[in-house]
């Protein structure tokens, strides 16, 4: 009985630790990347400056991805981990693609600028997809894993990267 109790305690602790780390990364994805990224887009600036700033946000997004990738994952959280990594990957890659297009979108005129703007708009849809994946895959998997592990009283953090649909 003592061994089973110890195993249950270790399992619950691992689930709580995972949820805490995932929640921290989810929050940081919004506060360290999304919020300043969209603020940067709103305030504008020279195309090369914007490109450099967006590239920095992409670096932070990559670090968040790598941090989650290296996190110890309890078996009950494998689905959450896979889904969260996909969402973070979409965010990172979207930032990279926007950084590549912002110069043409702001610096060129005509068809080239229109095409770059459309490609940036497409990446906003990728950000929305990452939010949908977080809401419909990550959160339910975390909830299920905690419930199956007998863990209660945990907050499961949402992560909405796209501030609103008007982008």
């Amino acid at each position: 009985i003592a061994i089973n109790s110890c195993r249950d305690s270790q399992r619950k602790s691992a689930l709580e630790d995972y949820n805490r780390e995932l929640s921290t990364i989810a929050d940081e994805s919004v506060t360290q990347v999304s919020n300043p990224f969209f603020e940067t887009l709103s305030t504008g600036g020279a195309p090369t400056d914007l490109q450099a700033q967006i590239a920095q946000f992409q670096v932070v997004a990559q670090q968040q991805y790598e941090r989650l990738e290296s996190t110890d994952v309890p078996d009950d959280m494998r689905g959450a981990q896979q889904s969260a990594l996909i969402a973070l990957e979409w965010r990172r890659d979207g930032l990279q693609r926007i950084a590549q297009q912002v110069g043409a979108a702001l610096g060129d005129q005509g068809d080239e600028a229109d095409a770059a703007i459309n490609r940036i708009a497409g990446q906003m849809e990728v950000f929305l997809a990452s939010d949908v994946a977080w809401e419909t895959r990550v959160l339910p998997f975390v909830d299920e894993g905690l419930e199956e592990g007998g863990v209660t009283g945990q907050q499961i953090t949402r992560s909405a990267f796209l501030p609103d649909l008007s982008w």
Side-chain angles (χ1 to χ4, degrees):
I1 294 179
I3 292 173
N4 284 338
S5 177
C6 186
R7 281 188 196 147
D8 285 346
S9 177
Q10 287 175 333
R11 180 180 180 202
K12 286 180 181 180
S13 180
L15 291 167
E16 290 169 352
D17 290 347
Y18 178 81
N19 184 48
R20 194 170 16 262
E21 181 65 11
L22 180 63
S23 294
T24 298
I25 293 169
D27 184 54
E28 290 173 357
S29 180
V30 174
T31 60
Q32 295 177 1
V33 181
S34 174
N35 291 347
F37 166 70
F38 283 101
E39 184 177 317
T40 298
L41 288 183
S42 294
T43 58
T48 54
D49 293 341
L50 284 174
Q51 187 174 19
Q53 289 175 314
I54 295 168
Q56 284 301 316
F57 299 135
Q58 188 268 332
V59 168
V60 175
Q62 174 65 28
Q63 292 167 345
Q64 292 166 348
Y65 177 90
E66 290 171 356
R67 198 165 102 217
L68 184 61
E69 189 176 44
S70 68
T71 298
D72 289 331
V73 183
D75 288 342
D76 293 332
M77 294 293 183
R78 296 269 178 227
Q81 176 78 353
Q82 183 180 26
S83 298
L85 286 171
I86 290 168
L88 291 174
E89 180 180 12
W90 288 343
R91 293 171 182 185
R92 176 201 65 203
D93 292 353
L95 290 164
Q96 179 183 19
R97 290 183 178 108
I98 290 170
Q100 293 168 345
Q101 296 300 317
V102 75
L106 296 176
D108 293 335
Q109 294 186 7
D111 292 343
E112 181 63 31
D114 290 345
I117 290 167
N118 286 335
R119 287 190 287 273
I120 290 172
Q123 294 311 305
M124 296 300 167
E125 292 178 1
V126 172
F127 294 153
L128 177 59
S130 79
D131 292 346
V132 171
W134 203 278
E135 191 70 27
T136 63
R137 304 293 293 165
V138 176
L139 297 181
F141 277 131
V142 170
D143 186 48
E144 180 181 314
L146 292 173
E147 187 176 314
E148 287 179 7
V151 177
T152 59
Q154 291 282 299
Q155 180 165 343
I156 303 170
T157 302
R158 290 183 151 67
S159 185
F161 194 86
L162 189 66
D164 62 62
L165 295 177
S166 67
W167 281 99

